[in-house]
Amino acid sequence: MCRFSLFLTVFAVISTKVIAQDIGYAKKTINTLTSSSYWGRGYTNNGMAKAADFIEREFKNLGLTPIDAMAYKQEFSFPVNTFPDQMKLEVNGKALRPGNDFIVHQASKGISATANLIQKDSLTYVSPEAGVVLSVVPKLTWSVAQKVMDYTLIEVAQKAIPISPKTVKLAITNQLIPNFTAANVVGMVKGTTKPDSILVFTAHYDHLGGMGSSTYFPGANDNASGVALLLDLARYYAKNPSKYSIVFIAFAAEEAGLLGSKYFTENPLFPLSQIRFLWNLDLMGNGDAGATVVNATLHSKEFTLLNKINNANQYLVKINPRGKAANSDHYFFTEKGVPAFFMYTQGGVSAYHDVDDIAATLPLSAYQNIFKLLVAFNKELIN
């Protein structure tokens, strides 16, 4: 081998190693998506749309192409209840902080009232006249609703009210958007010899958005971490195309009920029968206690292969098998007969659907090894 050929070989090896192991790109992505500019990637302050634009730009910059020369975005719409403005609560005359001390149930209607509370049970207090229910909870966990109830439900952290609540004063604004428009973002690296055989990576990019004008939910682990891994894999395969085509789908509206993936499977941009395997990546920010794979019992041959690779390289301390579950965007693909795994990490920080799911405390302890595991699995599957 001549010196120039040797240089090219060494350079290629080093370049691939850097692509596979540089965690800086992932951290930058997570920091971007969890910043206040993206406002929880939800339904106020244009947060979800900004995140979709960011992912589309990354796909373009990385060299991914749209499916069949179509646009990168696949739009759809649905109703959603939002809280764009006022978010004030006083209990026993004490002002509480939104997100830290209390949350408004996602399906609540807006209200402006002062009322006395009646104790219903040890943790529930009501004002029938005002249409207010106050529930004392050990942990605040928010979500997304597509409808509005005929009353207002407030959840207050136990630590925020050391004595029983007697009075409540509220000023809360809600807005039901009947046709909120969101978009899945789709890009592809075309296969070199078998382009009609497709491997798919998916991750939802939406989160909970904001609650009022001063509180948003960053969603670092859920699921900026999965988007970071999705983009990192896109970055790798753009530089190292495989025999099969690799499709990358960033789904919207997962938190509203898996709506983006449902829409895609009902309106696919390519025949779902071409998918040889699909990986859904959600909650990728931890991993010191291993990971769990949903659908492991449905696809035992692939799960055996995954464990064989993991055991040979010690990428994860363990991979726990789990059966079928409708808990993320793989589900509607499974229902259509597409072989799919949903992987999520375990251990690390426990923040989930709260204001504490931030980039600064996300360990990414298994991120690099999960990357290597997925690339190795795909390589074995293709071969």
Side-chain angles (χ1 to χ4, degrees):
M1 181 181 291
C2 70
R3 288 185 178 181
F4 183 69
S5 297
L6 178 61
F7 170 78
L8 289 178
T9 301
V10 171
F11 179 77
V13 171
I14 292 174
S15 298
T16 301
K17 185 176 181 181
V18 169
I19 291 169
Q21 296 183 355
D22 183 8
I23 203 168
Y25 179 72
K27 290 181 177 179
K28 182 180 179 181
T29 299
I30 294 169
N31 286 334
T32 297
L33 291 174
T34 57
S35 67
S36 59
S37 297
Y38 292 81
W39 205 248
R41 307 184 302 283
Y43 305 92
T44 57
N45 291 351
N46 211 31
M48 195 183 301
K50 289 179 180 178
D53 289 345
F54 168 79
I55 295 166
E56 181 183 39
R57 287 195 301 271
E58 288 299 296
F59 279 179
K60 289 178 179 179
N61 292 338
L62 294 173
L64 274 63
T65 58
I67 304 296
D68 293 332
M70 296 170 64
Y72 290 91
K73 291 179 182 176
Q74 181 191 44
E75 292 189 345
F76 60 101
S77 62
F78 55 97
V80 64
N81 192 32
T82 69
F83 300 89
D85 193 6
Q86 291 189 103
M87 189 59 56
K88 297 179 181 179
L89 173 67
E90 293 181 13
V91 177
N92 296 340
K94 177 186 177 184
L96 301 185
R97 299 169 299 164
N100 299 101
D101 299 329
F102 78 95
I103 58 172
V104 176
H105 186 276
Q106 58 271 12
S108 291
K109 70 173 185 177
I111 189 173
S112 180
T114 299
N116 295 321
L117 297 172
I118 301 170
Q119 187 168 0
K120 187 79 171 178
D121 57 42
S122 61
L123 298 175
T124 308
Y125 302 81
V126 301
S127 172
E129 297 81 8
V132 174
V133 177
L134 190 149
S135 178
V136 181
V137 297
K139 183 189 183 301
L140 301 176
T141 303
W142 210 41
S143 191
V144 180
Q146 293 183 258
K147 62 181 181 180
V148 181
M149 304 183 298
D150 61 359
Y151 63 98
T152 304
L153 172 58
I154 309 294
E155 296 183 1
V156 179
Q158 285 178 332
K159 62 183 180 180
I161 48 172
I163 60 175
S164 297
K166 303 295 184 183
T167 63
V168 63
K169 183 178 180 180
L170 310 95
I172 293 166
T173 304
N174 86 298
Q175 180 185 8
L176 179 68
I177 303 176
N179 290 290
F180 181 88
T181 300
N184 299 322
V185 190
V186 188
M188 177 180 67
V189 176
K190 193 170 184 178
T192 55
T193 59
K194 296 182 178 180
D196 292 333
S197 294
I198 298 173
L199 299 177
V200 180
F201 288 106
T202 72
H204 76 89
Y205 69 88
D206 65 298
H207 193 50
L208 308 177
M211 191 182 73
S213 59
S214 61
T215 300
Y216 77 97
F217 295 77
N221 192 32
D222 187 15
N223 186 34
S225 64
V227 175
L229 185 53
L230 180 86
L231 291 175
D232 215 353
L233 288 161
R235 182 170 171 254
Y236 172 79
Y237 282 108
K239 292 182 180 295
N240 301 274
S242 73
K243 296 177 183 178
Y244 290 3
S245 294
I246 314 290
V247 170
F248 302 87
I249 310 174
F251 286 121
E254 191 265 1
E255 302 291 6
L258 314 182
L259 300 183
S261 53
K262 184 176 188 294
Y263 185 84
F264 185 93
T265 56
E266 293 173 348
N267 304 272
L269 301 181
F270 55 87
L272 298 182
S273 60
Q274 292 182 346
I275 301 177
R276 297 297 172 255
F277 207 81
L278 180 148
W279 277 99
N280 180 45
L281 309 171
D282 200 349
L283 306 170
M284 291 283 104
N286 295 307
D288 56 337
T292 292
V293 170
V294 173
N295 280 354
T297 58
L298 292 184
H299 307 295
S300 57
K301 180 180 178 181
E302 288 81 1
F303 189 66
T304 298
L305 173 61
L306 186 69
N307 271 296
K308 179 182 177 182
I309 296 168
N310 188 60
N311 292 337
N313 297 278
Q314 295 297 300
Y315 288 136
L316 297 170
V317 294
K318 62 179 178 178
I319 305 176
N320 301 306
R322 184 172 173 180
K324 183 179 177 180
N327 57 350
S328 194
D329 285 318
H330 65 286
Y331 175 70
F332 288 108
F333 288 92
T334 299
E335 292 297 280
K336 295 285 187 179
V338 174
F341 280 163
F342 162 35
M343 176 183 280
Y344 58 91
T345 59
Q346 294 170 309
V349 296
S350 59
Y352 178 74
H353 278 220
D354 54 39
V355 294
D356 297 319
D357 186 10
I358 61 176
T361 56
L362 196 65
L364 295 173
S365 46
Y367 177 91
Q368 292 167 298
N369 281 348
I370 290 173
F371 182 105
K372 296 173 187 177
L373 177 63
L374 294 174
V375 170
F377 177 89
N378 273 4
K379 184 177 180 180
E380 289 292 327
L381 199 67
I382 292 170
N383 292 334

